[in-house]
Amino acid sequence: MTMKIMVAIKRVVDYAVKIRVNPDKTGVVTQNVKMSMNPFCEIALEEALRIRESGSASEVVAVTIGPSHSVDTLRTGLAMGADRGIHVDYSASLYPLSVAKILTKLVQIENPGLLILGKQAIDDDCNQTGQMIAGLLNWPQGTFASKVVLDKEKQVATVDREVADGIETVCLNLPAVITTDLRLNQPRYATLPNIMKAKSKPIKKFTPEELNVEIKSDLEIVQVTEPPKRKAGVVVSSVDELIDKLKHEANVI
Amino acid sequence: MAGLVQRNPRFSKLNDDDVRYFEGILGAKNVVQDEDKLVAANIDWMHKYKGSSRLLLQPKTTEQVSQILKYCDSRSLAVVPQGGNTGLVGGSVPVFDEVIVSLSSMNKIISFDKVSGILVCEAGCILENIISFLDNEGFIMPLDLGAKGSCQIGGNVSTNAGGLRLVRYGSLHGNVLGVEAVLANGTVLDMLKTLRKDNTGYDLKHLFIGSEGSLGIVTKVSILTPPKLSSVNVAFLACKDYSSCQKLLQEAKRKLGEILSAFEFLDGQSMNLVLNHLEGARNPLPTLHDYYVLIETTGSDESSDKQKLEAFLLGSMENELISDGVLAQDINQASSFWHLREGISEALMRAGAVYKYDLSIPVEQMYNLVEEMRSRLGNTANVIGYGHLGDSNLHLNISTPQYDDKILSQIEPFVYEWTSKHRGSISAEHGVGLMKANEIFYSKSGETVQLMASIKNLLDPNHILNPYKVLPRSLIS
């Protein structure tokens, strides 16, 4: 069997960077800020690599959409072990529906048996793209996956989903869309031999026009603001004072 | 340890009048006699040195420190200055019943000049708090070490702490621009300059950098801080032998030049210890190796820095100086590589008893000592070597299930004699403290130590400051 897995990866402000809102409140500061692969995308890629290493798939294709710097993130994906990359070059803002349409087109070109994505990107926290693609392709979806088991013979993926009150297990007929949650796996590091190999792996380039996707949005960002600053705590002198404050100031009891 | 030292009978014993006097200066709240609180201040974090002080003072101002010392000097009450109490040589805890003067309440940042990058702050500021304050301003501390979450800048300066970035930014003798210190008789020395250049007379602030609180208590410092550069890369590498680590260092200095900001090494035994005893530790490489090197670069241009580092690493792989390696792809990965190196101390603590030696030895000979020690001790102990290879600084650690005088006699004085023979230092960055006060001659000539004693006599004639430490007890009594 020669199943192909496609993985979508996104370049975002590094998870460990302290986010600052820009002065005109239209977004966050990204200049001179460390950018890295979205952690959920790393998990998605790791899962694809493990499936390939188990023999259930033959190729992992990493896809990213964004400005030219996104190629750096794609190279990280190739250094982790993806076989080849696709870069859809686009510099302006993108919203989940446009991303979903682009990825849908790429799925139609590449015909993967499985599309794995992070459940959300840590920059916009939309958590929509995977679901939209499943809708556009009319594929089954296993979202918030914490465990994925592939049955090669039956062409079925069994996915444990992290839902509010526990684990829900679903079976999906392939081809399918899976979005990954935090506990699915622990991604590997990029080793030097693999970084070296990644330099010669092919990256195919597209533009949205070439894929016949018109990018428009019915969303407008009105304002971006920082969450309210946490107020400093106070030391209370007695249990009575604590109860009084909880009742009358915090209004929680 | 204290068993080998006699309490100096010239020191007075604390009485109720003393306590009342201190309460008068500091307020009752800042005069601590509570047993539970004293326990923590009486013992070092390795649980190796334990004093029996009955009083902990928490001054809030330099004036209060001055009043405390003036009184103690007149009463011949011995004093131990204490910061974060993270020292490794028994310098920050009382040996007997010394009054503990904690600087923890003097924790204010006084000023920061964004143009020059000069920070002025009180001695009790915790290093990590200063680091995050500076981070917000777009600057970094020239000093970073594993204990940053607890250690205080006053203690760092008093012990001339080295740490992880010394290879790039140099020692505190270069970065500290000014010091305010209180002498034993209560005199406040205002040397809190914020000038990079000041050649007027003797530069006395240096006496308080690294003298471990034996000449005065540092109450404020001014430090030159470098701007925070946006591009940081961390690689964790495996080498097949020690000589490859050395060659890699030489190459890194040439090829990474101005962006090299750390060059650390650990041996396979250190790595095993960390993997077995440190929570969350994970081998970043697919297999185990005999030697590991951590390289950090810091620069201003992400893409050119990365290109430079990758070219260096790939070239070193082709030359077989590196047998495998990983390059952090995000900050989280970089911290997890650092965690392995910085977590060795903690892992050692969890593994049982530990004999720690912090030595400066020429790089070529450094690891021979680890191997000789290993063959001396055989199966009785786990000998590990790690440290700041970029600064020729070896941390030789000997881990045993419990402290055992028989093992100790196998280690000392051998380790000091060996180091002395190779013209090294028996204390690269940890200081002398109680542990090595009598061993100072292994690294300093008799004439030099004699002059140190004269300076001590001049600044602290009654020897009340941090007694039994730093200088040999035969000279100071």
Side-chain angles (χ1 to χ4, degrees):
Chain A
M1 187 187 100
T2 56
M3 184 175 84
K4 199 188 282 180
I5 304 177
M6 187 183 277
V7 180
I9 58 182
K10 182 175 183 183
R11 177 181 154 94
V12 297
V13 174
D14 192 283
Y15 163 77
V17 167
K18 189 167 173 264
I19 299 292
R20 288 191 178 86
V21 173
N22 64 22
D24 53 5
K25 295 189 178 177
T26 54
V28 299
V29 177
T30 53
Q31 246 184 349
N32 264 329
V33 168
K34 170 85 177 164
M35 305 290 278
S36 303
M37 192 191 296
N38 177 38
F40 291 107
C41 300
E42 269 188 291
I43 295 170
L45 179 55
E46 176 66 33
E47 196 62 19
L49 296 174
R50 289 185 189 189
I51 293 171
R52 187 192 65 195
E53 283 158 5
S54 75
S56 298
S58 54
E59 190 183 32
V60 174
V61 184
V63 179
T64 194
I65 309 170
S68 55
H69 277 309
S70 305
V71 174
D72 298 347
T73 310
L74 209 50
R75 288 275 172 219
T76 297
L78 297 175
M80 282 175 70
D83 298 287
R84 59 189 172 89
I86 297 176
H87 172 216
V88 180
D89 197 356
Y90 189 76
S91 299
S93 300
L94 274 171
Y95 298 93
L97 186 57
S98 310
V99 176
K101 284 179 180 167
I102 292 172
L103 289 174
T104 300
K105 279 284 159 69
L106 290 174
V107 165
Q108 287 160 353
I109 294 169
E110 292 283 342
N111 289 312
L114 204 52
L115 173 66
I116 312 182
L117 310 87
K119 70 168 180 177
Q120 68 198 63
I122 58 165
D123 51 0
D124 56 23
D125 277 340
C126 283
N127 187 337
Q128 297 164 9
T129 305
Q131 294 88 329
M132 286 175 170
I133 299 171
L136 291 170
L137 288 167
N138 203 21
W139 281 10
Q141 57 182 303
T143 50
F144 313 105
S146 63
K147 190 179 172 194
V148 174
V149 179
L150 222 59
D151 187 325
K152 222 164 130 182
E153 305 298 312
K154 294 191 193 140
Q155 286 287 295
V156 163
T158 307
V159 175
D160 282 1
R161 308 183 58 233
E162 295 198 355
V163 292
D165 41 8
I167 300 288
E168 180 186 78
T169 305
V170 295
C171 280
L172 316 170
N173 288 325
L174 298 185
V177 176
I178 291 173
T179 74
T180 57
D181 216 323
L182 207 58
R183 277 161 288 271
L184 178 60
N185 60 45
Q186 196 178 26
R188 70 195 64 192
Y189 297 118
T191 63
L192 294 179
N194 287 339
I195 290 172
M196 198 152 29
K197 275 185 221 151
K199 292 193 185 297
S200 54
K201 288 180 180 174
I203 294 180
K204 211 192 275 180
K205 222 177 176 123
F206 288 102
T207 61
E209 296 81 56
E210 286 166 346
L211 296 170
N212 281 321
V213 178
E214 193 193 343
I215 295 179
K216 54 175 194 214
S217 176
D218 37 18
L219 289 176
E220 180 199 348
I221 292 189
V222 182
Q223 200 183 58
V224 177
T225 54
E226 281 180 33
K229 292 249 184 325
R230 192 168 167 263
K231 283 188 205 151
V234 287
V235 177
V236 293
S237 55
S238 67
V239 174
D240 289 340
E241 194 191 339
L242 174 67
I243 291 171
D244 182 72
K245 281 197 186 296
L246 289 175
K247 261 188 188 153
H248 299 109
E249 281 180 34
N251 297 317
V252 290
I253 54 170
Chain B
M1 261 299 182
L4 304 169
V5 190
Q6 298 291 315
R7 184 182 184 279
N8 187 338
R10 286 200 299 142
F11 293 136
S12 308
K13 298 226 165 162
L14 191 75
N15 63 35
D16 290 348
D17 288 342
D18 299 328
V19 174
R20 265 192 296 280
Y21 180 83
F22 293 129
E23 285 176 347
I25 306 173
L26 305 172
K29 224 178 77 185
N30 299 310
V31 177
V32 179
Q33 292 179 280
D34 179 78
E35 288 281 330
D36 293 340
K37 285 183 187 156
L38 282 171
V39 169
N42 263 311
I43 194 158
D44 73 311
W45 76 278
M46 296 186 302
H47 292 199
K48 212 169 159 183
Y49 303 93
K50 191 167 186 269
S52 51
S53 174
R54 288 164 34 232
L55 193 68
L56 168 77
L57 303 178
Q58 300 174 310
K60 286 197 160 77
T61 63
T62 303
E63 186 49 36
Q64 288 177 349
V65 175
S66 163
Q67 284 174 290
I68 292 169
L69 291 188
K70 192 175 176 190
Y71 179 81
C72 290
D73 200 39
S74 69
R75 274 273 294 127
S76 281
L77 284 168
V79 167
V80 54
Q82 190 173 77
N85 196 10
T86 59
L88 298 167
V89 291
S92 58
V93 288
V95 183
F96 299 102
D97 57 347
E98 298 94 290
V99 173
I100 304 168
V101 177
S102 162
L103 278 298
S104 299
S105 299
M106 292 186 63
N107 58 2
K108 281 190 289 293
I109 285 170
I110 297 164
S111 67
F112 181 69
D113 181 340
K114 274 192 116 158
V115 178
S116 60
I118 295 169
L119 172 88
V120 182
C121 69
E122 291 183 328
C125 289
I126 290 173
L127 180 59
E128 191 161 47
N129 294 347
I130 302 179
I131 291 173
S132 37
F133 168 85
L134 288 172
D135 188 61
N136 274 328
E137 304 286 336
F139 288 78
I140 62 164
M141 272 301 266
L143 165 81
D144 193 359
L145 58 156
K148 59 178 162 263
S150 315
C151 67
Q152 298 171 7
I153 192 64
N156 296 147
V157 170
S158 299
T159 58
N160 189 22
L164 305 163
R165 305 267 147 73
L166 193 131
V167 68
R168 171 75 166 263
Y169 301 109
S171 92
L172 287 177
H173 280 292
N175 295 304
V176 172
L177 300 181
V179 159
E180 179 192 79
V182 182
L183 298 182
N185 65 8
T187 305
V188 177
L189 288 185
D190 179 359
M191 302 174 287
L192 202 59
K193 288 280 172 63
T194 52
L195 307 169
R196 287 204 72 174
K197 295 174 141 183
D198 177 17
N199 286 355
T200 48
Y202 306 145
D203 198 348
L204 294 180
K205 67 167 183 283
H206 289 293
L207 281 180
F208 299 88
I209 304 173
S211 54
E212 303 178 44
S214 65
L215 299 179
I217 297 185
V218 171
T219 44
K220 292 186 186 112
V221 296
S222 71
I223 300 175
L224 181 65
T225 71
K228 184 184 179 178
L229 302 179
S230 58
S231 152
V232 178
N233 284 297
V234 180
F236 196 86
L237 312 166
C239 298
K240 63 176 186 305
D241 50 30
Y242 179 71
S243 114
S244 305
C245 301
Q246 250 185 81
K247 285 185 197 135
L248 193 66
L249 171 64
Q250 288 172 333
E251 287 287 298
K253 282 185 173 170
R254 280 178 196 285
K255 304 233 165 97
L256 298 175
E258 74 290 353
I259 60 169
L260 183 66
S261 57
F263 194 104
E264 296 288 314
F265 102 105
L266 50 149
D267 60 12
Q269 287 83 349
S270 305
M271 181 66 142
N272 278 341
L273 193 97
V274 169
L275 294 178
N276 290 329
H277 293 280
L278 193 70
E279 215 172 305
R282 160 192 180 203
N283 184 4
L285 300 166
T287 54
L288 290 169
H289 298 262
D290 290 339
Y291 297 89
Y292 301 90
V293 166
L294 184 153
I295 293 181
E296 183 191 77
T297 64
T298 305
S300 54
D301 184 334
E302 172 100 40
S303 60
S304 80
D305 288 2
K306 195 150 195 173
Q307 212 175 8
K308 199 185 262 191
L309 179 60
E310 277 186 13
F312 164 72
L313 293 175
L314 300 180
S316 306
M317 254 194 118
E318 276 164 23
N319 299 339
E320 294 182 359
L321 291 182
I322 304 174
S323 34
D324 202 355
V326 283
L327 183 57
Q329 302 294 313
D330 57 41
I331 297 174
N332 214 3
Q333 291 185 5
S335 338
S336 68
F337 299 169
W338 268 118
H339 184 56
L340 296 169
R341 166 61 189 84
E342 291 185 279
I344 301 174
S345 272
E346 196 185 324
L348 279 162
M349 288 288 296
R350 288 169 198 250
V354 55
Y355 299 94
K356 296 181 100 70
Y357 299 91
D358 159 46
L359 312 159
S360 271
I361 299 172
V363 176
E364 318 82 75
Q365 287 139 19
M366 188 193 268
Y367 204 73
N368 295 347
L369 174 60
V370 181
E371 282 167 347
E372 279 190 42
M373 191 58 84
R374 216 166 259 155
S375 62
R376 264 178 92 80
L377 293 175
N379 294 329
T380 55
N382 183 19
V383 179
I384 72 166
Y386 63 97
H388 315 296
L389 201 68
D391 318 322
S392 305
N393 182 184
L394 170 72
H395 291 316
L396 170 71
N397 281 250
I398 295 143
S399 170
T400 55
Q402 57 251 326
Y403 290 108
D404 178 347
D405 285 344
K406 237 167 69 193
I407 290 180
L408 183 61
S409 66
Q410 290 266 61
I411 305 171
E412 294 179 25
F414 171 78
V415 63
Y416 297 133
E417 286 165 355
W418 198 99
T419 306
S420 182
K421 200 171 82 195
H422 293 87
R423 295 193 62 80
S425 169
I426 61 161
S427 176
E429 60 176 7
H430 290 174
V432 175
L434 179 65
M435 182 184 177
K436 296 174 231 177
N438 283 342
E439 274 72 32
I440 195 168
F441 295 108
Y442 285 109
S443 290
K444 290 281 151 70
S445 71
E447 293 79 5
T448 313
V449 179
Q450 195 59 56
L451 181 59
M452 290 183 191
S454 307
I455 294 173
K456 169 77 175 173
N457 286 332
L458 180 70
L459 297 188
D460 177 19
N462 296 319
H463 302 163
I464 62 160
L465 285 172
N466 224 2
Y468 321 106
K469 298 163 189 167
V470 187
L471 294 176
R473 290 176 280 273
S474 54
L475 288 181
I476 301 289
S477 55

